[in-house]
Amino acid sequence: GAIGEESGPPKPAAGEVIEAVQLGASTGSVIGKGGSNVTKLQTETGAKLTVKNGFCYIVGKKDAVAKAKTAVDAIVDKDLKFAAARDAVNEAPPPEWTAEDNLPDETPATGEEWGGASAEGW
């Protein structure tokens, strides 16, 4: 019925193609604030973009879809690079360290020393 179609990918009309791009963590970047980015991409490429279930479905004429897919791929790629760079920075200290232990002090970071979050309320 209608509900099944509603939850699946959009149906391309005659002469149209559909592409699906997996967004993962980039869903917000592709949508933009209040849908602004999707609107911009649709205006610029002439393709129709539907974001649901972690995918961006791009429907339209072949060249419009190709243009939109390139734009969406670029956003996802940029986000992946950013996340990788951010994660690399976050992974620098050994896993047993906390943010508090990152402060330069003479105390070995055992988690037992005074100060930091564990001392609250004492």
Side-chain angles (χ1 to χ4, degrees), residues 7-38:
S7 62
K11 303 273 185 288
E16 290 185 333
V17 297
I18 181 167
E19 281 277 1
V21 180
Q22 189 162 7
L23 299 180
S26 300
T27 304
S29 304
V30 172
I31 294 170
K33 200 175 175 75
S36 60
N37 215 21
V38 163

Side-chain angles (χ1 to χ4, degrees), residues 21-33 37 41 51 54 56 70-88 90:
V21 180
Q22 189 162 7
L23 299 180
S26 300
T27 304
S29 304
V30 172
I31 294 170
K33 200 175 175 75
N37 215 21
L41 287 168
V51 177
C56 180
T70 301
V72 172
D73 281 342
I75 294 167
V76 172
D77 194 52
K78 196 174 124 201
D79 269 10
L80 285 173
K81 284 195 172 70
F82 177 78
R86 188 190 59 209
D87 291 348
N90 288 347

Side-chain angles (χ1 to χ4, degrees), residues 100-109 113-116:
E100 269 97 28
D101 293 328
N102 257 337
L103 301 171
D105 65 13
E106 304 309 309
T107 324
E113 71 273 13
W114 290 95

